[in-house]
Amino acid sequence: MTAMQRESARHGTATAGPADAAEILARAQALAPRLRERAVEIEQARRLPADVVESLRATGVFGMGFTRDRGGPELDSIQQTEVIEAISYGDPAAGWCAMIGSDTGLYAAFLDREVAARMFPTPDMVTAGLLFPHGRAERVPGGFRLTGRWQFGSGITHAEWVVSGAFRYRDGQPEPGPDGTSPGSLALLVPRAAVEVIDTWHTTGLAGSGSCDYTISDVFVPQEHTFTFADILGQPGVLAHPEVHMRNMPGVALGLARAALDHATRAALTAGRSEDYRTQAVLADGEADYAATRHGVYGALRRQHDVLAAGGTLDDLTPLERTALPLSRRHCFRTARSIVTRLYDLLQTSAIYQPSPLDRWLRDSTTMCQHIVAQDRILQTAGAHLLGARPSFPLALGITPLPR
């Protein structure tokens, strides 16, 4: 927590921040050129410099998922994606960290209101961590003792809280889940000071995201600092759904693809290739793919938002509508990589020299396509749902186990 935040928390007030989606988006767009100037430095540092984190915080991106009753601007998933897209246009690693860090307000919906207010005294606090259950949570009076090692702690070097998935144990034995057979799991929130970061993040791309491994060793976590996506303890609404933290992820890929297309267009004009047939065809083909995938992402987001804002649930979506969002998300990541690869080939040798942004974007897009949301597991999940079979990653569809 910054000094300003600590002072605000002491007096029970929140730091002044952007009041609405338009202002947050405008601040994100204004920050993007400065992020582009710092992109090489960010990549070499393999984490976001402290002043870059504070610049992101000043845009309001970290607090955009907090509802108005909790002092936040309550951006819907469409608006959140637009903000992440704008930041990622400047630097995808910064966009990735902004996307992850903005989950704090989304998790708050699954915590008791008063508990969340104490944990997050200002609506711009960063949460990092891995939700998949790789740890062990031993049940003890009042909560759990948490131990484990997790990967992909994007933004963990500047986070205030760390969320980690773990399997539940009691008296050394696994606790059954809702179905009575598979192990039960939950997510646990601990202060960043209780976490040891392991510097493992030497990767192909997205180096600046600082997505290091981390360990937690026998740390007590109060029951009220744990949650499952099956239990909404806060205010219900369009943001209080299990897969809400995945909705704005395509913004990173869209921002990267847009930046690459603009860069290649400027390079072609500078090189006097405006009359070259291949240059014209490759750029137009990339623009077509970008427009189509962006339309698919925002179209699926708008349909989902319309149903939820009208008081419906995810179950009110048709099977095609429900699978549209995870499929468009996967397609977006894959298409961004395809666009960058074609532009890299188009610019030929000028693209291979570091710090060419295309070289960095090629590596960034390749790395982000290894995330589960861009993998074939999403195809199986969507296809199984369409056929009435068992999806392998039901959370992508907003499907969770029954409450504990």
Side-chain angles (χ1 to χ4, degrees), residues 78 82 294-295 297-307:
I78 301 164
E82 291 172 337
R294 191 174 190 274
H295 178 79
V297 165
Y298 282 103
L301 282 169
R302 288 190 183 96
R303 176 55 185 158
Q304 184 191 68
H305 176 78
D306 289 346
V307 170

Side-chain angles (χ1 to χ4, degrees), residues 98-252:
M99 176 264 295
I100 295 293
S102 68
D103 287 341
T104 306
L106 306 179
Y107 297 147
F110 301 92
L111 297 168
D112 176 81
R113 176 185 173 84
E114 293 184 1
V115 170
R118 291 194 298 270
M119 294 175 69
F120 314 124
T122 61
D124 59 359
M125 299 180 71
V126 175
T127 299
L130 185 70
L131 288 168
F132 291 105
H134 286 291
R136 177 183 178 122
E138 181 74 30
R139 193 179 289 276
V140 296
F144 297 88
R145 305 294 303 189
L146 177 62
T147 298
R149 177 168 176 161
W150 295 260
Q151 291 181 295
F152 312 121
S154 303
I156 197 168
T157 55
H158 59 261
E160 281 87 24
W161 288 91
V162 176
V163 61
S164 304
F167 291 108
R168 301 196 312 264
Y169 284 76
R170 185 192 295 270
D171 298 328
Q173 298 299 314
E175 286 190 349
D179 61 6
T181 56
S182 58
S185 64
L186 76 170
L188 305 93
L189 285 152
V190 303
R192 165 66 178 82
V195 176
E196 180 184 358
V197 176
I198 304 173
D199 190 6
T200 54
W201 195 242
H202 299 271
T203 54
T204 302
L206 286 182
S209 68
S211 305
C212 298
D213 288 16
Y214 64 96
T215 61
I216 299 174
S217 302
D218 195 32
V219 171
F220 174 72
V221 184
Q223 175 72 42
E224 59 266 27
H225 289 189
T226 74
F227 68 91
T228 73
F229 286 118
D231 303 307
I232 300 173
L233 303 182
Q235 178 179 323
V238 295
L239 297 180
H241 290 270
E243 40 59 78
V244 64
H245 59 289
M246 301 182 196
R247 295 180 195 166
N248 61 23
M249 293 184 73
V252 181

